[in-house]
Amino acid sequence: QVQLVESGGGLVQPGGSLRLSCAASGFTFHYYHMKWYRQAPGKEREYVAGVTSDGGRKNYAESVKGRFTISRDNRRKTAYLQMNSLKVEDTAVYYCKAEAAGANNNEYWGQGTQVTVSS
């Protein structure tokens, strides 16, 4: 069955770094764009970053530009989010999402991983 499994979350001090991973199975990973979203308590889920199916184009929310880097390894069927210079306001549950690059509208979500930035 289709699975997206995030990992790498945790507690980190302001200014620290974390690397999130999103391991995919059950679908043809290289046919899907990959995106990261996050949801803080009491807030709407928001877009963080995206990468095209071939890894050629990347996009970031203004709030994370210059601090976060999205990448993917199609051989390992895994997407990554490197987060540097973390701020308290980055605290949220982080979700990865797969969106079909072709004509179908398939999309899949992971279960989320908690990132807490606190001193």
Side-chain angles (χ1 to χ4, degrees):
Q1 73 276 23
V2 171
Q3 276 195 311
L4 287 173
V5 180
E6 298 99 334
S7 61
L11 173 64
V12 64
Q13 291 187 339
S17 297
L18 283 174
R19 188 196 196 201
L20 305 183
S21 298
C22 173
S25 60
F27 63 99
T28 308
F29 184 71
H30 62 269
Y31 286 167
Y32 284 72
H33 305 315
M34 294 301 296
K35 298 181 178 181
W36 287 94
Y37 288 76
R38 66 186 181 186
Q39 187 166 19
K43 295 190 176 181
E44 299 277 321
R45 190 172 295 190
E46 65 174 359
Y47 172 83
V48 174
V51 59
T52 52
S53 56
D54 63 358
R57 283 176 293 158
K58 302 176 182 180
N59 180 264
Y60 299 92
E62 284 298 321
S63 60
V64 307
K65 202 172 285 186
R67 299 188 298 122
F68 290 11
T69 303
I70 190 171
S71 62
R72 66 188 295 157
D73 184 335
N74 283 351
R75 289 178 299 173
R76 296 180 184 269
K77 299 182 182 181
T78 302
Y80 304 96
L81 186 69
Q82 177 67 43
M83 305 186 296
N84 299 330
S85 303
L86 282 161
K87 304 176 181 181
V88 171
E89 52 264 41
D90 294 319
T91 296
V93 178
Y94 284 71
Y95 300 89
C96 65
K97 180 185 180 185
E99 294 183 358
N104 74 64
N105 294 322
N106 288 351
E107 59 181 45
Y108 310 114
W109 286 91
Q111 83 291 347
T113 186
Q114 176 70 47
V115 171
T116 303
V117 185
S118 174
S119 55

